[in-house]
Amino acid sequence: QVQLVESGGGLVQPGRSLTLSCAVSGVYLTEQRVSWYRRPPTRQREFLATIFRSGTPSYADRVAGRFTISRDLDKNTVYLRMDDLENDDSAVYVCHLNIKGTDYWGQGTQVTVSS
């Protein structure tokens, strides 16, 4: 059974950094790419970054240079490091993968950027 469990969210001040985790079970990271999305309170879901089976990352323009996606194969976990956070980064952050046309989503972790 494929499961994704996010953690690491919380309240953070503007300009600070935060790292989110997405623990994946039921499939190895070398078999599937994993992506991070977010759901802001007043906007539609936004794609942020993906890490391919090879480990190569790719980013949406909106976060390139500020966010970094990485993974730990031993822990089968994908991370999203977010630097220089802004108020507009406040959202529920979720990780995702797709296996043969079936989408799998985590429950999400809330990030609130506020002074």
Side-chain angles (χ1 to χ4, degrees):
Q1 183 179 0
V2 177
Q3 286 189 318
L4 298 88
V5 179
E6 303 93 338
S7 61
L11 175 64
V12 61
Q13 293 180 330
R16 304 299 291 267
S17 298
L18 195 65
T19 298
L20 307 179
S21 300
C22 173
V24 179
S25 58
V27 63
Y28 291 116
L29 297 181
T30 52
E31 298 173 347
Q32 298 292 336
R33 73 176 185 179
V34 176
S35 302
W36 281 98
Y37 289 78
R38 67 185 179 190
R39 296 194 299 262
T42 60
R43 302 193 302 275
Q44 292 188 343
R45 185 175 62 207
E46 300 174 341
F47 167 76
L48 301 175
T50 194
I51 187 161
F52 294 97
R53 291 178 295 172
S54 63
T56 301
S58 179
Y59 300 94
D61 289 343
R62 64 172 60 90
V63 300
R66 286 198 305 127
F67 289 11
T68 304
I69 190 170
S70 63
R71 68 185 186 182
D72 184 328
L73 295 180
D74 290 336
K75 296 181 179 179
N76 217 48
T77 297
V78 176
Y79 303 97
L80 185 69
R81 176 182 169 88
M82 306 181 291
D83 294 320
D84 193 21
L85 284 163
E86 306 165 353
N87 289 344
D88 277 352
D89 292 320
S90 296
V92 175
Y93 285 71
V94 294
C95 52
H96 165 268
L97 59 83
N98 181 286
I99 301 175
K100 296 181 180 179
T102 299
D103 290 316
Y104 295 88
W105 297 92
Q107 83 289 348
T109 185
Q110 176 71 47
V111 173
T112 301
V113 183
S114 175
S115 55

